[in-house]
Amino acid sequence: MNLVSRLQAKLRSLSHRERLVLLLCAVFLLALAVIRLGAYPALQSYRKSRADIPRRVATLARYRLAAQGEGKVDEAFADAGERLEQMEEGILPGENPAAAGAALQGILKPWAESAGTRLTSMRALAPVQKGEYSEVAVQLDLQTTSEGLVKILTEIPRHSKILKVKKLTVSSGFYGAATVNRREMLVVSIVIAGISDAAAPTRGEGAEE
């Protein structure tokens, strides 16, 4: 008698209750095998995916911050460019420093020829390179009253162009007995500078000292 026949004979000899218990055991073993072969790998995959969640979230968060940072950098550059355009409206016009110096003299001359002020000389100084720009300066020698000097100094920061006083010397004029009742006149030498976007010439190009 072979093995199969023996098993069949053994099963026939079992009672109905014993057969039911044996069937339940077989079902349990089959279910255990299914869980082992199917559910466990799925559970392991879930655990691995769950462990990767913090890393993935951190990666996405860093990417989001980087993307936001790029936007902020672009926005900052745009704002800086807009501010630069606004500031460059204060640059003196002219394709070269000489033309910018002439424009500066055109601004200053009406101030130096106002009532109570006598302009004795005006001359352009050699331009000086300041980074991407050049500084253009004009020296004014004049005689004026204290009110006239204050008026000139007040006009400088109010002007739409970027102007500044680089040098200022003031001395009192000499008066004799015949002029004792006149208002005191001041002898003033003032250097006023502006900015040009034209490059200053080098010494080899004949820049004035």
Side-chain angles (χ1 to χ4, degrees):
M1 183 180 293
N2 57 26
L3 180 60
V4 175
S5 299
R6 290 178 182 178
L7 289 175
Q8 290 177 348
K10 183 66 174 177
L11 289 174
R12 283 194 294 269
S13 65
L14 295 175
S15 64
H16 178 72
R17 183 176 180 181
E18 290 174 337
R19 290 178 183 178
L20 182 60
V21 171
L22 183 61
L23 179 61
L24 291 175
C25 290
V27 171
F28 175 76
L29 292 175
L30 180 62
L32 186 62
V34 170
I35 293 174
R36 178 67 179 177
L37 296 177
Y40 278 10
L43 181 60
Q44 289 296 108
S45 177
Y46 167 74
R47 288 176 177 174
K48 183 178 180 181
S49 298
R50 187 177 63 178
D52 286 342
I53 288 175
R55 180 179 58 82
R56 293 181 180 180
V57 170
T59 300
L60 291 175
R62 287 194 299 269
Y63 183 81
R64 183 181 295 275
L65 288 175
Q68 292 176 349
E70 289 177 359
K72 291 181 180 179
V73 169
D74 292 340
E75 183 179 351
F77 273 119
D79 291 342
E82 184 176 349
R83 289 196 301 271
L84 179 61
E85 289 181 0
Q86 293 175 352
M87 293 179 66
E88 286 189 335
E89 292 178 358
I91 292 176
L92 294 170
E95 297 181 354
N96 51 60
L104 178 57
Q105 292 185 48
I107 295 172
L108 302 180
K109 191 173 182 180
W111 301 349
E113 293 179 344
S114 60
T117 300
R118 185 171 73 89
L119 178 65
T120 57
S121 69
M122 174 187 291
R123 67 186 185 95
L125 304 181
V128 179
Q129 194 68 33
K130 298 287 186 179
E132 298 296 325
Y133 304 95
S134 59
E135 184 181 72
V136 178
V138 171
Q139 179 176 333
L140 300 176
D141 295 322
L142 47 88
Q143 295 177 352
T144 185
T145 61
S146 57
E147 292 83 359
L149 177 59
V150 169
K151 183 179 179 181
I152 293 174
L153 295 177
T154 303
E155 291 288 351
I156 293 172
R158 291 178 178 176
H159 201 272
S160 60
K161 301 304 180 183
I162 303 173
L163 305 177
K164 70 173 184 178
V165 176
K166 290 198 64 179
K167 183 179 180 181
L168 174 64
T169 58
V170 181
S171 60
S172 299
F174 175 77
Y175 295 95
T179 59
V180 68
N181 293 324
R182 294 182 182 179
R183 289 189 301 173
E184 182 182 13
M185 295 296 290
L186 303 176
V187 178
V188 178
S189 178
I190 182 171
V191 177
I192 301 174
I195 295 295
S196 169
D197 58 359
T202 62
R203 292 180 181 272
E205 294 174 337
E208 295 182 3
E209 294 295 334

